[in-house]
Amino acid sequence: MKRTAEIVLTVIGIVLFGLPVIFSGIMLNAKENQAFQAEIERAVNSQDMNMQGLNVNQIIDMVGTVSIVIIVAALIAIGLGILAIFFLKGDKKPKAAGIILIITAIVFTFATFGLGLFGAAPFLIAGIVALVRKKKSTVEDGGTIDY
């Protein structure tokens, strides 16, 4: 049985999980930018922001830490998507691939702080399709033959 739909959805999910990697990479590079630091300092010191007890360096360090967490989580999700493609290719282990895709979609949506939602949607759909789709069977001479 061909698993083209699941593979295509998984590839789309992998590409979309690349977006948080790119976004977080940009934020990680911006962390070192003096203009970015000045903007954060201006926002913290403005009267609209009520951030008592936080200084600019702590906020910039938080941005760097969160960016690294998002990059690592998205890269793990991409790796699990590639593993699922290998399981789907040739219809080797579609149930395992479906379970991997569903769990990856749920866990890594939260691990990327919601930025992986666009990649998780195709993963979730592909995982459900991989679990629900059955092998075709035909009846010949009173017996069934699984393809």
Side-chain angles (χ1 to χ4, degrees), residues 125-138:
I125 295 167
I128 292 170
V129 171
L131 288 176
V132 172
R133 217 171 179 193
K134 301 284 186 215
K135 290 185 178 182
K136 293 180 183 177
S137 61
T138 60

Side-chain angles (χ1 to χ4, degrees), residues 6-138:
E6 293 95 323
I7 292 173
V8 168
L9 284 168
T10 304
V11 169
I12 291 170
I14 288 171
V15 170
L16 291 176
F17 264 116
L19 295 176
V21 173
I22 293 168
F23 176 72
S24 296
I26 290 170
M27 290 303 292
L28 203 55
N29 284 334
K31 180 183 112 165
E32 302 299 325
N33 188 343
Q34 295 298 327
F36 178 75
Q37 291 176 359
E39 187 65 29
I40 295 289
E41 188 172 347
R42 186 191 62 73
V44 169
N45 292 333
S46 73
Q47 294 179 355
D48 296 336
M49 301 289 282
N50 188 11
M51 294 190 186
Q52 303 296 335
L54 285 177
N55 66 26
V56 176
N57 291 332
Q58 289 174 327
I59 294 172
I60 291 172
D61 287 341
M62 279 192 322
V63 167
T65 303
V66 168
S67 295
I68 291 171
V69 168
I70 291 172
I71 289 172
V72 169
L75 289 175
I76 292 171
I78 289 170
L80 289 171
I82 292 170
L83 177 67
I85 288 175
F86 283 121
F87 284 168
L88 289 169
K89 197 98 170 149
D91 205 24
K92 293 175 195 151
K93 297 180 181 181
K95 301 294 183 202
I99 291 168
I100 289 170
L101 288 170
I102 291 171
I103 291 173
T104 300
I106 294 168
V107 170
F108 288 99
T109 297
F110 294 109
T112 59
F113 303 102
L115 291 176
L117 183 63
F118 298 113
F123 271 21
L124 185 63
I125 295 167
I128 292 170
V129 171
L131 288 176
V132 172
R133 217 171 179 193
K134 301 284 186 215
K135 290 185 178 182
K136 293 180 183 177
S137 61
T138 60

